[in-house]
Amino acid sequence: MIKKFFTIFCVALLAMTSCIREEALNTECDIETCTLPEAITPEWKSGDDSNAYELEDPETQQKVTIYPIDFQVRQGVDRTALAPTFTITEGATVEPASGTVRDFTIPQFYKVTSEDRCWSRVYCISVVELNKPLPEHDNAPDHFSFDHARMNKTSGSEGSIFTVFYDTNPFTDADFQWSSGNSGFALTGVAKSYKDYPTLQSDYGFEGKCLQLTTRETGSFGAMVNMPIAAGNLFLGSFDVSNALSNSLKATRFGMTWSKVPVRVSGHFKYKSGDTFYELDKTAPGKMKEVPGKRDLFNIVAVFYEYSDDMPSLDGTNYMDPSMDAYRKSVCMFGRIDAAQRFETDQWTDFEVILEPRDGMKIDPVKLAEHKYKFALVFTSSIHGDTFSGAPGSTLWIDEVTVEYADMNPKME
């Protein structure tokens, strides 16, 4: 009897033990931050992967997705012995290791492997020397034509491919990328091609091609996360797609380092409101409540602000809200298109945005020279898109935008 009981006990114990599984190992394999002290902008943070591209592995003849990390250094910096450092996802490993000294006169590749050893990513870190000395005002372009766009190289269906705008800085001859919410919209699965995205390029500009922003419905997935509408948008800054669903306003980080003080933005626009305006209503079917008779409006906003380690960027929650601490403490110049210019027209029409200095906020020319200020220029097809309200189909076309700058006279110091 005792032997029989012991046998049953062992079998039960074995069964219980087999049900206790080890905690799953991490499958992520990302470089989260990369720091190069010699670079003009020394830190890179992971976010939008829309600039990934594919290369063929010469050994396996298979295509490998490459995730680029780009730095710029001033003329004369020795690129033959640089040691970028980075943080990676928990449990992952990287080869070569963080802090390894390498020759960056050519791009260098890094492979990050997940903790469970089943997944990996290949990053390419490039360090480019500016091909001309940095002038006093080295990174403040004064014209945007929206003629330059490419398709992101994210692997997957045709519906995962979308438009990415970029421009070339005339002072440095280096490309920089505009940001949009396209990578977040891709998560909804609504798009069947790049033409279905909120932000794309049109062939029918004021001159050549232009920017086209269209407010879209996000389908059942968007409704499920209380984001039934996505306004078309384009802005100077970055978009953290990893936070797109949990907090899309925080994911939108406005501003790029700028070395001139903008005082006026002008250009050309056309606008057509969608037929039916909806506001977010979590109790309504599809989370969309119709607002009869209301027409949609577009918006253009320009913000010049001081950033810090404690407040590296303004975001969708505070970039134009004077009640927020981040706005009050950092914004030096602010402007948005006035109500008289927000109207529907099928003809190319001039617009202007005047940036006004905020009372009590002074611009420090030393900090300006040290790249301690950022400029955010934001275009959107629905003025209430940040609350997921608007009229699907509302479309804003923008072209040939010019930025005018102030002289740093004693009044600005």
Side-chain angles (χ1 to χ4, degrees):
M1 184 68 179
I2 294 176
K3 181 183 290 187
K4 183 177 180 180
F5 175 82
F6 180 78
T7 301
I8 294 173
F9 173 79
C10 289
V11 171
L13 183 61
L14 180 61
M16 291 174 60
T17 303
S18 66
C19 292
I20 301 174
R21 299 180 179 179
E22 294 184 2
E23 183 178 350
L25 298 177
N26 197 349
T27 61
E28 295 178 328
C29 48
D30 303 318
I31 290 180
E32 296 179 330
T33 65
C34 182
T35 302
L36 184 68
E38 296 84 355
I40 294 171
T41 303
E43 184 176 66
W44 172 94
K45 293 183 179 181
S46 64
D48 189 353
D49 290 333
S50 61
N51 56 347
Y53 58 92
E54 292 184 337
L55 285 180
E56 185 175 281
D57 188 324
E59 295 183 1
T60 65
Q61 279 73 54
Q62 294 182 341
K63 289 186 176 180
V64 177
T65 300
I66 306 297
Y67 297 87
I69 298 175
D70 299 320
F71 289 107
Q72 290 181 325
V73 295
R74 299 173 187 271
Q75 279 194 337
V77 171
D78 181 9
R79 292 181 294 148
T80 64
L82 297 177
T85 58
F86 30 79
T87 59
I88 58 178
T89 46
E90 184 178 357
T93 55
V94 60
E95 178 65 32
S98 173
T100 301
V101 177
R102 306 184 77 183
D103 180 0
F104 282 92
T105 56
I106 59 173
Q108 297 290 349
F109 292 87
Y110 294 78
K111 184 177 181 180
V112 183
T113 304
S114 62
E115 185 180 31
D116 67 0
R117 315 300 295 173
C118 295
W119 304 93
S120 64
R121 271 192 173 194
V122 177
Y123 288 83
C124 179
I125 300 180
S126 298
V127 180
V128 178
E129 183 183 58
L130 296 180
N131 59 9
K132 60 180 70 174
L134 285 173
E136 180 183 356
H137 303 306
D138 53 55
N139 65 333
D142 58 8
H143 190 77
F144 305 114
S145 65
F146 306 107
D147 288 333
H148 306 299
R150 54 178 170 252
M151 296 297 154
N152 76 308
K153 300 296 183 181
T154 302
S155 58
S157 67
E158 189 172 337
S160 66
I161 298 173
F162 52 80
T163 304
V164 177
F165 283 88
Y166 67 95
D167 263 292
T168 300
N169 188 326
F171 297 100
T172 64
D173 288 341
D175 287 348
F176 67 88
Q177 185 170 298
W178 289 80
S179 292
S180 75
N182 274 353
S183 57
F185 188 81
L187 301 176
T188 68
V190 171
K192 303 303 179 186
S193 78
Y194 73 93
K195 296 180 181 179
D196 298 327
Y197 278 84
T199 302
L200 64 154
Q201 188 180 56
S202 169
D203 292 329
Y204 306 103
F206 180 80
E207 292 182 9
K209 298 181 179 181
C210 70
L211 169 64
Q212 177 181 318
L213 305 174
T214 302
T215 300
R216 309 283 192 186
E217 293 185 47
T218 58
S220 57
F221 184 85
M224 181 179 66
V225 293
N226 298 317
M227 302 176 188
I229 288 174
N233 60 61
L234 191 79
F235 57 93
L236 294 174
S238 62
F239 185 77
D240 181 7
V241 70
S242 65
N243 286 329
L245 299 181
S246 60
N247 194 332
S248 63
L249 296 183
K250 285 286 188 181
T252 309
R253 298 166 181 170
F254 293 113
M256 294 177 62
T257 54
W258 225 249
S259 56
K260 286 185 181 181
V261 181
V263 294
R264 181 176 182 266
V265 178
S266 61
H268 309 280
F269 81 95
K270 295 191 298 183
Y271 187 67
K272 178 70 170 69
S273 172
D275 293 332
T276 306
F277 189 96
Y278 297 94
E279 63 182 20
L280 173 64
D281 185 342
K282 297 179 182 180
T283 66
K287 307 294 178 68
M288 297 166 61
K289 177 183 177 182
E290 182 178 345
V291 183
K294 185 168 184 176
R295 302 294 288 177
D296 209 350
L297 297 169
F298 68 96
N299 205 14
I300 302 172
V301 179
V303 186
F304 187 73
Y305 67 94
E306 182 180 348
Y307 72 97
S308 63
D309 291 340
D310 294 333
M311 203 285 297
S313 64
L314 294 173
D315 57 46
T317 67
N318 55 30
Y319 80 108
M320 58 178 184
D321 186 351
S323 70
M324 302 295 287
D325 284 344
Y327 181 101
R328 292 197 303 269
K329 294 177 180 178
S330 64
V331 174
C332 300
M333 308 282 290
F334 180 85
R336 63 178 138 193
I337 192 167
D338 60 49
Q341 296 184 79
R342 293 195 193 106
F343 54 84
E344 296 183 58
T345 175
D346 60 1
Q347 302 296 315
W348 284 107
T349 305
D350 295 346
F351 75 83
E352 73 169 2
V353 174
I354 304 298
L355 288 90
E356 300 285 353
R358 288 187 58 233
D359 291 341
M361 299 298 291
K362 296 181 179 180
I363 295 171
D364 185 335
V366 174
K367 290 182 178 180
L368 190 65
E370 294 176 346
H371 300 85
K372 298 298 184 182
Y373 293 91
K374 287 186 177 183
F375 178 44
L377 181 57
V378 185
F379 305 96
T380 181
S381 57
S382 291
I383 192 170
H384 299 298
D386 57 344
T387 60
F388 311 105
S389 300
S394 292
T395 303
L396 172 66
W397 294 267
I398 294 286
D399 203 8
E400 302 304 323
V401 171
T402 297
V403 183
E404 297 175 22
Y405 298 100
D407 292 328
M408 287 299 291
N409 55 47
K411 291 182 181 180
M412 294 293 295
E413 294 178 359

